[in-house]
Amino acid sequence: IVAENGEFRKSEYRLFKIKEVEGIDDYASTKEVINRRFRRSKEDEKFSKLPDVILADGGMGHVSAINEALKSLGFDIPVFGMVKDDKLRTNRLISSDGEIINLTQETFRFVTSIQNEVHRFAIGYHKKLRSDILVRSELDNIEGIGPVKKRALLRAFGSVKAISQATLPELSAAEGINSELAKKIYKYFHE
């Protein structure tokens, strides 16, 4: 996300789907995003405006990963990590050189609002990805199955796997599925 003069600049928010990192590796994923974002700043006008500071929702490991990526691209931008207390609330910042910075109440509220906005934006994106995955399925490959019949089949059987294992009579018994469509479904999964 981007904040400027205490205001969120939603038109400047960007999403990066992790493409290069295999499995779950938070630091490598962070480096990939920073590399892609700042590499594009040299090529794409939408990315040309550089931040005055980067706040990482993580500690020294994330700060180091970001600094390493920035340095490899020739950028020198201050990076601060968010240090959390026992209740996982950010209560301090940590600089690249390990200096701990206590937050005033006003700064704490601002950092918290940034954190909340990042989470809101990221969670919305992940919900959309999950929704897209649920909307698309193997059933889309079967002629005669549209959104209504797909929902009816999923309601009746619970999953695409269960549909693929259903018998011809079971498929024909599903609401809205005639015998000809049941044959197409059965044939798709058994041939």
Side-chain angles (χ1 to χ4, degrees):
I1 70 156
V2 176
E4 186 175 11
N5 297 323
E7 300 286 325
F8 294 120
R9 300 280 182 227
K10 294 184 181 186
S11 64
E12 296 183 37
Y13 290 12
R14 298 293 180 263
L15 292 166
F16 291 87
K17 189 182 270 188
I18 302 302
K19 296 178 179 178
E20 301 163 10
V21 176
E22 295 282 329
I24 298 172
D25 184 339
D26 212 21
Y27 300 135
S29 297
T30 298
K31 276 203 242 183
E32 177 185 332
V33 168
I34 294 296
N35 272 315
R36 287 171 52 201
R37 192 287 183 214
F38 286 91
R39 225 179 306 129
R40 287 176 75 176
S41 72
K42 297 175 180 180
E43 306 157 359
D44 186 339
E45 191 174 305
K46 289 186 282 187
F47 289 87
S48 64
K49 191 172 181 181
L50 298 177
D52 295 323
V53 66
I54 296 173
L55 290 178
D57 191 4
M60 201 59 198
H62 287 91
V63 171
S64 296
I66 292 168
N67 277 325
E68 190 177 314
L70 289 172
K71 186 177 181 181
S72 73
L73 295 167
F75 291 102
D76 185 23
I77 299 169
V79 180
F80 294 90
M82 299 178 187
V83 179
K84 294 172 180 56
D85 63 17
D86 295 340
K87 295 179 183 172
L88 299 178
R89 291 179 308 197
T90 298
N91 63 356
R92 295 174 291 166
L93 297 177
I94 188 166
S95 70
S96 299
D97 61 6
E99 180 187 352
I100 298 291
I101 301 160
N102 292 313
L103 301 177
T104 64
Q105 195 145 11
E106 188 177 327
T107 307
F108 171 77
R109 278 195 296 273
F110 181 61
V111 169
T112 299
S113 72
I114 289 173
Q115 225 171 1
N116 291 341
E117 182 66 0
V118 167
H119 291 159
R120 181 201 65 77
F121 191 58
I123 288 168
Y125 176 63
H126 287 288
K127 281 182 180 176
K128 182 189 177 314
L129 285 179
R130 276 199 315 274
S131 164
D132 289 350
I133 289 166
L134 292 175
V135 170
R136 288 189 309 270
S137 75
E138 273 198 274
L139 298 175
D140 294 321
N141 299 328
I142 303 171
E143 185 185 336
I145 303 236
V148 173
K149 300 225 188 289
K150 184 165 48 170
R151 273 194 299 277
L153 285 164
L154 290 170
R155 251 193 323 272
F157 295 97
S159 70
V160 174
K161 183 177 180 183
I163 295 167
S164 73
Q165 295 171 345
T167 65
L168 200 50
E170 289 171 334
L171 291 167
S172 296
E175 183 183 335
I177 307 299
N178 61 33
S179 61
E180 188 163 319
L181 187 53
K183 285 177 190 172
K184 284 182 183 178
I185 297 167
Y186 187 85
K187 184 177 177 182
Y188 176 82
F189 286 112
H190 291 91
E191 286 187 2

